[in-house]
Amino acid sequence: MIKAVPVLLFAALAVAQEPIPAKSFVLDDYHNVVSVDLAKLRAKDIWGDLEASVLKPVLTELEREFGGPLDSLDRMLLVAEFGDPAEDARLIREVRVFEGNTGLPVPTSLQAKTWEKRDLGGREVWCRSGFREERMYQPSANVQVWGTGLALDPVFEGEKRHGMPCADVMSLLSGKEESLAYIVLDVTRGPLRNQLLRGLFKDVDWPQGQEPSFLALRLLVTGDPDDPHLTVEAVLRHAADGEGVAVSDKAIDAFLERARTAPEFRAMRPVLREFHKKRDRADLLLVADLGRSRQAVGNVAGIVIALLGPQGRAATVEAEVAVPPPPPPPPVEPPKKKD
């Protein structure tokens, strides 16, 4: 019996060291999510067109932060929930999952003195303290989990999660198997309400309790498989079908009219002209068929740049300015006269 103790202890330690699957860290009933399926973008022959578009400097910057070529990355998922009070960014619960088709690189930023390795629940985790606690855990060579301590630490301590979204997010994403990328945001509280919702719809007053609740944006593959098109869908959801939907309807018209002249939406203007609006009870939808992939990629790039805000546009402009113009052609000498 005594001889068996070391064996049992070793077995217990082995179990304790088992990697935690990335899905186990995803928050329960999350309200905010961003997802990009790079593997699908490659399979649909869209990724190469994006890399050659005006997005090239933005993608180059992402590669620098990622620590390696984005070709090794298949999927990115971000979920987040704001604390109470929602305006305190230190209380955010955020989880980012990166899935690759090969070993994912460890960014050089983790080698900085601000990061250190710690043992959390028997696993080796990169940790950083500061404005808020941050973590990076790599359960396998092809997967990385990044996030705040508020989101990840409970899982290291044994918390079990199902990792499913709330009912509204699930509904907004249902039946969208051909989604290449999507964003769903809860705009009822915190910075998303004060900055995003109020930023898009200036000076709009909704009836009490009838403001929009969710904003969703999806990039889809639609049409015949032999002639696929890229489609953008935007959805503004309300908690109930009432007067607030009518207010939002007018607000969308005002936004589209303002976007036709506002400089910050210049890159999106070709897409804005293609949007068709319709109402489905408490949802207002804007749908734009951007056409075949090659022709549509420029419009997709414009949407991404607009969503990134000034930093994304500045990176693009800066890259364009940094490219020197070609040298002038040599002067043409006049023909010599014959003697």
Side-chain angles (χ1 to χ4, degrees):
M1 180 66 183
I2 295 177
K3 292 181 179 180
V5 171
V7 176
L8 294 173
L9 181 60
F10 178 80
L13 290 173
V15 171
Q17 295 294 336
E18 279 292 311
I20 302 175
K23 183 173 175 58
S24 299
F25 291 94
V26 178
L27 303 173
D28 288 342
D29 304 313
Y30 56 82
H31 287 60
N32 304 285
V33 58
V34 179
S35 175
V36 181
D37 195 322
L38 283 80
K40 278 187 181 178
L41 286 168
R42 294 189 200 102
K44 302 292 182 181
D45 296 324
I46 299 170
W47 182 249
D49 293 335
L50 284 173
E51 287 184 310
S53 74
V54 71
L55 279 179
K56 184 175 179 61
V58 178
L59 297 177
T60 300
E61 177 63 19
L62 286 176
E63 283 193 335
R64 188 188 67 79
E65 294 183 5
F66 179 60
L70 293 179
D71 288 342
S72 63
L73 192 60
D74 277 354
R75 280 167 292 278
M76 297 185 292
L77 175 72
L78 181 150
V79 300
E81 292 299 317
F82 297 96
D84 190 14
E87 289 78 7
D88 191 343
R90 293 170 299 180
L91 300 181
I92 188 173
R93 296 192 301 144
E94 179 185 280
V95 180
R96 305 188 301 278
V97 178
F98 299 92
E99 297 179 48
N101 49 62
T102 186
L104 296 180
V106 176
T108 54
S109 60
L110 287 184
Q111 307 300 329
K113 292 182 179 179
T114 52
W115 288 89
E116 63 177 3
K117 290 183 180 179
R118 299 180 197 163
D119 183 288
L120 298 181
R123 282 87 179 179
E124 184 179 80
V125 183
W126 286 92
C127 302
R128 179 167 70 173
S129 300
F131 176 71
R132 59 190 179 201
E133 293 287 329
E134 296 178 78
R135 309 283 184 255
M136 196 288 274
Y137 173 60
Q138 193 153 4
S140 66
N142 294 10
V143 178
Q144 290 179 356
V145 181
W146 297 71
T148 57
L150 286 176
L152 269 56
D153 288 358
V155 178
F156 290 119
E157 295 166 3
E159 181 177 286
K160 303 297 182 184
R161 296 174 181 169
H162 57 70
M164 298 298 291
C166 70
D168 276 297
V169 172
M170 192 176 299
S171 169
L172 287 165
L173 297 178
S174 65
K176 303 300 179 185
E177 291 78 11
E178 288 305 311
S179 293
L180 301 172
Y182 56 81
I183 302 173
V184 183
L185 303 172
D186 181 343
V187 293
T188 61
R189 59 185 302 186
L192 294 180
R193 177 183 183 276
N194 299 331
Q195 298 172 21
L196 179 60
L197 186 63
R198 294 299 180 179
L200 289 173
F201 305 113
K202 298 181 181 297
D203 304 320
V204 177
D205 292 321
W206 283 274
Q208 183 67 31
Q210 296 193 42
E211 293 183 347
S213 54
F214 284 89
L215 176 64
L217 188 67
R218 300 179 291 250
L219 177 64
L220 310 170
V221 177
T222 58
D224 193 306
D226 296 327
D227 184 25
H229 283 213
L230 290 183
T231 297
V232 172
E233 291 185 359
V235 181
L236 192 63
R237 169 161 291 187
H238 303 71
D241 185 358
E243 187 180 345
V245 184
V247 173
S248 294
D249 198 341
K250 293 180 180 179
I252 289 175
D253 290 339
F255 165 76
L256 293 174
E257 184 63 32
R258 178 168 61 89
R260 291 188 180 98
T261 56
E264 61 266 29
F265 294 103
R266 182 172 59 247
M268 283 187 67
R269 283 174 196 160
V271 181
L272 295 174
R273 289 194 294 265
E274 300 298 324
F275 271 123
H276 300 282
K277 185 178 63 174
K278 59 182 179 180
R279 179 173 174 173
D280 182 9
R281 293 170 295 182
D283 290 347
L284 290 170
L285 294 86
L286 290 173
V287 182
D289 183 342
L290 304 183
R292 294 181 177 89
S293 169
R294 185 142 298 185
Q295 293 81 17
V297 159
N299 290 332
V300 173
I303 294 173
V304 174
I305 291 171
L307 290 174
L308 288 173
Q311 290 182 340
R313 290 193 295 275
T316 305
V317 172
E318 186 177 310
E320 292 172 349
V321 171
V323 178
V332 178
E333 296 182 1
K336 294 181 179 180
K337 293 182 179 180
K338 295 182 179 179
D339 294 334

